[in-house]
Structures are given as C-alpha cells and as structure tokens.
C-alpha cells in the first residue's frame, strides 16, 4: 500500500453533497460537507438540475474552507482528486471542471476517482490498516454491491441489486411513513422505539449473492395502506430488521464462499446502527475481521475520494484535461 506524500485537495460533487477535503497520505486534515438536503427535501428527492446549480454556488466556499481548516495554502498542494463517475453528470461536471482549472492554474497533477472506489477505500482513512484482500459490502443510495477486493484497484463484483439499492429501500419506505428525504436515519430513529412484528419479503431466495428490493417496497406500501392504526415505530422496526438481515445474510454468504478473512461495510447505509451491530457481531462470532469507517465517512464525503486519489497518484496515475464525467461506470 503506497500513498501520495504531498497534500491533496479532494472534491466530491456526484450527488447532493458538495464536499472538499485535504488529505495527506491517508490522513484527513479537513472534511467539509455542504449538504443540499434541505433544498431537495421540498421536492421529496433529488432534482439533478437544482443539484448542479447548488454545487456551482457552494464549490468555491467549500474548497476555501477545506484549505483553511487544514491550514494549507493552495500552493502547498501536490495534487487534486475529484469524483468523475458514476453520478449525476451535471453535478459531477461542476467538481471536475473546478478541479481541472485549479490543477492547471497550480500546475499540479489531478486524478478522476470512481465514487465507489472512494467508498471502498474509506476504511483506510486515518488508520494503519494494511489488509488489502477482503470482501466489501457497499450500500448507498444508488448502489448495493458485494465486491471481492483482491487488492487495491482489483475489484470483482460478487453480487448486486437487480432493482432498487438498499438506501433506496430505506428512503422509499421512509417516504411511505411520511419521514421525508433522505429517510434512512429518520427511519432508524423511529425503529428504535418499535418492535419488528411484521414479516416482509426478503427478495431473492436460493444461494444467490444478488439482491432485490422491489417486492419489499411494494409490501411496505401495502402494509402502510392496510391499516392506519398500525404502530409506525413497529413498521419502521420491521423495515429495518428485514433490510439489515438481508444485507447481513448475503455479506456473510459472500465471505463464506471465498473463505475470506475480512469484511468491510461502506457507503451511506453503513451508518445504520443495526447493520453495523449485526455484521460486527456475526464477524466476531466467526473470527472475521470487520472494518467500517466512522459515521461521517460512510455518507458521501471528499476524504474517501482523497484516499483513493492519494493511492492512484502514488502509483503514478494521472488524468488529462479530457477527463470526462459518466452517469454509470464499472468499478
Ligand atoms: O453514500 P451515500 O451518502 O450517497 C450515495 O452514494 O448514494 O448514501 C446515502 C444513503 C441514503 O439512502 C440514506 O438514506 C442512507 O444512505 N443512510 C442511512 C443511514 N444514514 C444514511 N440508511 C440507514 N440508516 C442510516 N443511519
Ligand atoms: Zn456514495
């Protein structure tokens, strides 16, 4: 494992957070996240055009703050890392255009980073972990993937969702319960006061490593509509119990199938307390090392992009002025 030695400015604008961070090696000196959640909440979801415009407004103050907090002048930067795929193209292009301009002005290298590689490498932030090969469960608003990380940069998808992502299952269920957007955390909080008494479908059966949450979503809609006197905390607890047990089962199945020694849990849904507890307990029981980042590095942030960029720049990778943005991209 090798990391870039000079300070790197990292920028993340793939969705609804404008984030900038300064990273040296794998240590974060700052992590500024300007969330657009309040704006999108009005519409009950992300409006891509509005997201892109909001990034334009917040990118400069966010970058300035990241440099100030890190007490680093722009002239001390040795490189820039920026998310260029996958994500909302209008939103991504704000970060990418900014990074290109700044790298050109400062005459320093820059690197386009895959958002999911950022999530994968978030477990290496601010620590000394050297484990490379492991199984990773990436669970976010847009992705649910089980990945065999053979080593940094060598990723094999073991399983993925065939319809909705786990975060979407949380968000859509939360909306049905009137909890607003994004609903993962609000649903977790409501679930803490309830009991999981309603059985809900767990999606695909059999030995698969794929996921399906569309039948689950329909069942939640039916359950909510069936009887307005049902306890909302109980419904929330049932939702959380079902989603977390499906994710836990599949992740452990993947670990078993490869006889892996380490499991990581990353992405926004990795902030879910019950999921963290279940996976950590199961791993402890089976003697498997469990890695997961602190809560603020689960949801979208620029530190994870900086860590991935720090590694890619250290192995001499560089992007050029023709770096493009992509709504979809293989890991
Ligand atoms: O990684 P992320 O910030 O953005 C994407 O790359 O999509 O993930 C956001 C997702 C949302 O669906 C949000 O509801 C979910 O993470 N989330 C949670 C929790 N905190 C965030 N889901 C369940 N429990 C939480 N505590
Ligand atoms: Zn993400």
């Amino acid at each position: 494992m090798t990391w870039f030695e000079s300070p790197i400015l990292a920028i993340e604008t793939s969705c609804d957070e404008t984030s900038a961070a300064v990273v040296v090696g794998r240590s974060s000196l700052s992590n500024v996240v300007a969330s657009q959640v309040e704006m999108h909440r009005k519409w009950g979801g992300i409006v891509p055009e509005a997201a892109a415009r909001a990034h334009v407004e917040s990118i400069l103050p966010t970058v300035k703050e990241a440099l100030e907090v890190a007490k680093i002048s722009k002239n001390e930067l040795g490189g820039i890392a920026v998310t260029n795929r996958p994500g909302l193209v209008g939103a991504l292009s704000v970060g990418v255009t900014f990074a290109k301009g700044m790298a050109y002005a400062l005459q320093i290298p820059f690197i386009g980073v895959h958002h999911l590689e950022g999530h994968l490498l978030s477990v290496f932030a601010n620590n000394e972990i050297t484990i490379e090969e492991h199984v990773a469960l990436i669970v976010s608003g847009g992705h649910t993937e089980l990945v065999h990380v053979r080593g940094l940069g060598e990723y094999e998808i073991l399983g993925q969702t065939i319809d909705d992502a786990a975060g979407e299952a949380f968000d859509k269920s939360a909306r049905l319960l009137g909890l607003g957007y994004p609903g993962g955390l609000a649903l977790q909080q409501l679930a803490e006061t309830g009991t999981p008494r309603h059985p809900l479908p767990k999606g695909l059966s059999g030995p698969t490593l794929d996921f399906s949450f569309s039948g689950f979503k329909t069942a939640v809609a039916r359950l909510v509509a069936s009887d307005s006197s049902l306890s909302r905390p109980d419904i929330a607890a049932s939702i959380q119990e079902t989603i977390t047990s499906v994710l836990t089962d599949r992740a452990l199945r993947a670990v078993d199938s490869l006889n892996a020694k380490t499991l990581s849990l990353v992405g926004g849904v990795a902030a879910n307390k019950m999921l963290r507890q279940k996976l950590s307990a199961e791993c402890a029981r089976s003697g498997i090392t469990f890695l997961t980042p602190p809560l603020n590095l689960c949801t979208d942030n620029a530190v994870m992009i900086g860590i991935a960029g720090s590694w890619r720049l250290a192995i001499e990778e560089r992007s050029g002025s023709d770096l493009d943005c992509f709504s979809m991209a293989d890991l």
Side-chain angles (χ1 to χ4, degrees):
M1 250 182 218
T2 154
W3 308 96
F4 202 58
E5 280 170 14
S6 318
I8 291 177
L9 171 70
I11 298 173
E12 154 63 44
T13 63
S14 68
C15 193
D16 59 351
E17 332 267 5
T18 314
S19 182
V22 177
V23 169
V24 181
R26 59 203 276 183
S27 308
S28 61
L29 301 188
S30 61
N31 182 25
V32 181
V33 183
S35 177
Q36 307 173 2
V37 158
E38 288 307 322
M39 177 184 80
H40 295 298
R41 195 166 274 155
K42 281 189 288 194
W43 293 294
I46 296 167
V47 179
E49 171 68 17
R53 284 167 190 258
H55 286 306
V56 170
E57 278 173 26
S58 47
I59 184 106
L60 187 56
T62 305
V63 167
K64 274 190 167 160
E65 193 181 333
L67 292 170
E68 271 163 29
V69 173
K71 298 193 170 59
I72 290 265
S73 111
K74 61 181 188 308
N75 298 316
E76 293 171 80
L77 294 172
I80 302 184
V82 61
T83 312
N84 77 316
R85 64 198 194 281
L88 303 168
V89 169
L92 286 167
S93 65
V94 176
V96 167
T97 308
F98 189 95
K100 281 181 188 174
M102 194 158 168
Y104 182 73
L106 297 171
Q107 288 295 297
I108 54 175
F110 75 103
I111 183 82
V113 170
H114 195 296
H115 182 80
L116 294 188
E117 182 168 68
H119 278 302
L120 283 177
L121 270 56
S122 64
V123 292
F124 299 116
N126 303 318
N127 59 41
E128 304 288 316
I129 295 165
T130 52
I131 298 165
E132 288 205 19
E133 181 166 19
H134 65 281
V135 169
L137 173 61
I138 310 178
V139 271
S140 74
H143 295 270
T144 307
E145 328 243 347
L146 275 165
V147 183
H148 180 195
V149 178
R150 294 181 196 275
L152 299 193
E154 291 174 59
Y155 311 121
E156 181 197 355
I157 306 292
L158 301 169
Q160 59 195 326
T161 183
I162 60 164
D163 40 55
D164 290 353
E168 263 177 292
F170 268 108
D171 292 341
K172 288 178 177 170
S173 304
R175 192 195 296 193
L176 289 166
L177 288 171
L179 294 173
Y181 161 88
L185 178 60
L187 194 139
Q188 168 184 306
Q189 286 161 347
L190 185 63
E192 275 160 11
T193 62
T195 306
R197 37 180 117 255
H198 304 288
L200 289 165
K202 294 192 165 179
L204 307 173
S205 54
T208 179
L209 293 174
D210 286 335
F211 304 84
S212 166
F213 289 106
S214 67
F216 167 84
K217 181 180 67 186
T218 313
V220 172
R222 258 198 229 117
L223 178 65
V224 172
S226 67
D227 180 352
S228 60
S229 69
L230 290 178
S231 146
R232 288 169 69 256
D234 286 359
I235 299 177
S238 310
I239 291 164
Q240 179 172 254
E241 171 58 32
T242 308
I243 298 175
T244 56
S245 62
V246 170
L247 295 174
T248 303
D249 288 356
R250 289 288 192 289
L252 291 165
R253 190 181 289 170
V255 166
D256 266 1
S257 73
L258 292 177
N259 207 9
K261 305 277 175 288
T262 306
L263 173 70
S264 79
L265 169 67
V266 297
V269 180
N272 185 267
K273 203 165 147 190
M274 177 176 269
L275 184 59
R276 294 169 86 84
Q277 280 168 352
K278 278 188 177 169
L279 284 173
S280 128
E282 289 294 330
C283 286
R285 230 166 39 91
S286 323
I288 290 162
T289 305
F290 178 60
L291 307 176
T292 192
L295 297 189
N296 68 326
L297 299 185
C298 290
T299 43
D300 286 349
N301 66 86
V303 170
M304 65 185 198
I305 303 306
I307 308 283
S310 172
W311 171 65
R312 291 226 168 246
L313 286 171
I315 58 165
E316 306 287 328
E317 277 191 30
R318 304 286 184 264
S319 294
S321 56
D322 57 349
L323 180 71
D324 213 342
C325 303
F326 302 93
S327 60
M328 293 199 287
D330 288 341
L331 190 59

